[in-house]
Amino acid sequence: MQKTLFILLAIFSIWTKSYSQGEPERNYITKIISDFKKQEKISENPVLVINETIIDNKKIDSLKLTKDDIITLRIFEKGQNSLIEIYGKNSKNGIIFIERKPLNKE
């Protein structure tokens, strides 16, 4: 009886692990942008600045950034035209500033 229970628990554990992994988590930056768009804080194609570097919108999907990588996150909502001179015309859509942890070089 104990042996059967152990086998059932082992099978359930393996199934739970594979089920909980599901589809891979999408890029955390993509999630942040999507959430801010839903809240109408930013528009399509906001400016993204990571560690003082402006990131091209075409490269956002390729970033491998998790929630744990982020130290600070600040947002300037859409419509702040005073930032256009510094960050370009897309800054009218909003700006997301992210400070990320340094990469571990092993």
Side-chain angles (χ1 to χ4, degrees):
M1 179 73 173
Q2 287 179 337
K3 193 174 190 179
T4 305
L5 182 60
F6 177 75
I7 292 171
L8 288 173
L9 285 173
I11 292 170
F12 180 73
S13 175
I14 293 168
W15 177 79
T16 304
K17 183 177 180 183
S18 64
Y19 179 75
S20 65
Q21 288 174 347
E23 292 185 28
E25 184 178 329
R26 63 184 177 159
N27 183 338
Y28 189 65
I29 298 295
T30 306
K31 181 183 180 323
I32 289 170
I33 291 171
S34 176
D35 290 348
F36 285 145
K37 283 182 189 174
K38 288 177 187 172
Q39 297 170 21
E40 297 184 2
K41 292 184 177 187
I42 61 173
S43 300
E44 200 66 36
N45 297 321
V47 173
L48 176 63
V49 180
I50 298 178
N51 289 354
E52 300 178 14
T53 301
I54 297 174
I55 305 299
D56 186 342
N57 281 322
K58 296 174 188 169
K59 296 181 181 180
I60 290 174
D61 288 334
S62 67
L63 294 174
K64 304 296 182 209
L65 194 64
T66 67
K67 188 176 184 177
D68 294 334
D69 294 331
I70 295 175
I71 297 172
T72 59
L73 184 140
R74 293 179 293 149
I75 181 170
F76 284 91
E77 294 186 23
K78 63 184 178 181
Q80 297 193 22
N81 294 331
S82 60
L83 298 173
I84 291 175
E85 288 182 33
I86 301 168
Y87 293 101
K89 65 180 180 178
N90 280 351
S91 65
K92 70 178 187 277
N93 299 330
I95 305 175
I96 299 172
F97 290 96
I98 294 176
E99 181 184 355
R100 73 169 289 166
K101 294 177 183 176
L103 297 173
N104 292 333
K105 295 182 180 179
E106 296 178 14

